[in-house]
Amino acid sequence: MALTQLPPVGPSAREEVPRRQPARESAARTYPRSLPVVPVRARGLTVEGADGRRYLDCLSGAGSLVLGHNHPVVLDAIRSVLDSGAPLHVMDLATPVRDAFTEELSATLPRAWADSARIRFCGPAGADAVRAALGLVRKATGRTGLLAFTGAHDKVAAAAPGGSVIRLPYPQDYRCPFGAGGAGGAHLAADRAQSLLEHRGSRADGPAAMLLEPVLSEGGVIPAPDGWLRRMRELTAAHGIALIADETHTGVGRTGAFWAVEHSGIVPDVMVLSDAIGGSLPLAAIVHREELDAGRTGDRAGAFRGNQLAMAAGAATLKYVRENRLPERAAALGGRMLAGLTAMAGECDHIGEVRGRGLMIGVEFVDPGAPGPADGGSRPPLPAAPAVAAAVRRECLRRGLIVGLGGRYASVIRLLPPLTITDEQADAVLDRFTDAVAAVSHQQAFGPLERQGTQRHRGPSRNAGAPGGPGGWTTPGAPPPHGTTSHPSPSNHPSTPKEAGAAFPV
């Protein structure tokens, strides 16, 4: 009997496949509404649609594809398991593939913790790992409460039934909950957490854990200050509360360190791992201090905690990232991209803030028509402009660039390229993004955008018409004007051939 083949990609696939999807699938689909792409092939940063168009993918599976699409080391690892005849699903039985993954993962952990840490596999999603982490610390402490933070991923609510969740303010500069920003805002946020814990004292019903993301990902790409993270570690240790670091989106080199907690030097009690650790396949685990599960066996953790293909792909990914020093690469290239975007933001009224860490970058769009303070003082954070952000994403797609959207108001464009992105590709991403922002900033059709949720628009950028062309890109080192580039144009970029039918790049 012949093996089932993938359906052929014909000229009608672009229309027929999206048309059939809503007739068969739930309305809970997220990306098809904003990214009308039917991907049929992919390699590295590049995705080819059914229509033959090529795109630079800076969404990267919501940041999970740290090596990009179909990296050769990942494909080789998957093929080796398939060709070996090894079982693909083994629950938690010991196998050579599982052993190789745990060895490689242990080699990446902070040295102060690696020798005594324990790895626990669970269901394949990040929410499964959060649920496993909470179950672990609740049994260890005998308490159920949870401290979490505003803007955190919604998997917290899904994974934390059976106990109270107290939300604390997450420190940030642009929309500081205390109106201070910077070190002062982070200090006030830490004081709020300390006051809460001191008020509760050592009550038996106190929190079992504090769950935090070192960088809020879907909350708007907001990096936590290192000093604030150290305060949270001190507070939780002093009050006997387990500190759980959610590295679902930040792990495996994304932020410029292998694990984002390493920037601050803290060692949490539990780390939640998912997404990138599976090398593009579903895999999740928690890593925790040995004493948290001492003497306990048989805890149920889901049927799919022995995915051999994901463990092989994950081990290959972890090894490649470690041996090729990709975290250092992410720190250097991410810093350069942040500098370019920050220069652009200084000349564009629609950008409130550019922020991020490593190759985890967020650009927040705002309404520049909002009035400033009457006394002429420094301007407060401007209202979010989700419709402008959505328009920029559409313009990016028109230019062959796929980006994400997030933040509390859906007004933050997220750039999450693979760590294997080249300098030339990074330049092409910045060119296309700059071009898209300039196009939206100078459209005369902001009336329709207002009806979608953006507040009134003041008009063109404050430097429109200045020497340098539309958008006023006149700052030294800033991106070039709309319509000109200092780098290869998108049509000439190696990953985006002019001809739609050109051979797919290897």
Side-chain angles (χ1 to χ4, degrees), residues 223-319:
D226 292 337
W228 177 83
L229 283 171
R230 288 189 284 268
R231 280 280 303 274
M232 295 304 99
R233 174 68 284 189
E234 293 167 1
L235 285 173
T236 52
H239 290 270
I241 297 169
L243 179 63
I244 304 174
D246 184 353
E247 293 265 10
T248 297
H249 296 122
T250 56
V252 195
R254 169 64 60 188
T255 67
F258 211 103
W259 306 106
V261 293
E262 294 180 271
H263 291 292
S264 62
I266 69 168
V267 180
D269 299 296
V270 185
M271 278 172 47
V272 173
L273 313 180
S274 183
D275 291 12
I277 67 166
S280 76
L281 298 180
L283 185 65
I286 60 173
V287 182
H288 58 85
R289 290 191 294 110
E290 179 182 13
E291 52 268 35
L292 284 175
D293 71 345
R296 283 201 302 277
T297 59
D299 285 353
R300 295 184 61 83
F304 289 96
R305 60 188 190 275
N307 186 331
Q308 295 263 84
L309 288 181
M311 290 181 181
T317 297
L318 294 171
K319 182 177 181 180

Side-chain angles (χ1 to χ4, degrees), residues 35 56-57 82 91 130 244 269 301 340 348 355 379 399 502:
L35 297 173
L56 300 181
D57 183 8
L82 293 174
M91 300 294 286
V130 170
I244 304 174
D269 299 296
C348 178
R355 54 184 178 253
R379 293 181 63 131
R399 290 157 175 78

Side-chain angles (χ1 to χ4, degrees), residues 71-156:
H71 194 282
V73 301
V74 173
L75 297 182
D76 288 346
I78 292 172
R79 289 190 191 102
S80 68
V81 175
L82 293 174
D83 293 343
S84 72
L88 302 183
H89 182 25
V90 294
M91 300 294 286
D92 53 5
L93 297 174
T95 69
V97 173
R98 188 188 191 96
D99 182 66
F101 176 84
T102 56
E103 283 291 303
E104 189 56 51
L105 179 58
S106 296
T108 71
L109 297 175
R111 290 297 92 199
W113 196 34
D115 293 339
S116 61
R118 293 294 180 265
I119 301 167
R120 176 179 295 206
F121 294 97
C122 54
D128 297 317
V130 170
R131 189 178 296 110
L134 293 178
L136 178 75
V137 298
R138 283 169 172 169
K139 286 186 178 180
T141 64
R143 303 190 296 270
T144 61
L146 173 66
L147 297 174
F149 293 89
T150 54
H153 192 281
D154 58 8
K155 64 176 174 285
V156 173

Side-chain angles (χ1 to χ4, degrees), residues 329-383:
R329 167 71 175 164
L333 184 55
R336 186 165 72 83
M337 293 181 71
L338 276 168
L341 291 166
T342 300
M344 178 189 71
E347 300 297 324
C348 178
D349 286 350
H350 291 288
I351 297 178
E353 186 181 42
V354 175
R355 54 184 178 253
R357 199 157 203 174
L359 287 173
M360 191 174 189
I361 299 171
V363 181
E364 180 165 353
F365 287 86
V366 297
D367 172 22
D375 61 3
S378 60
R379 293 181 63 131
L382 294 169

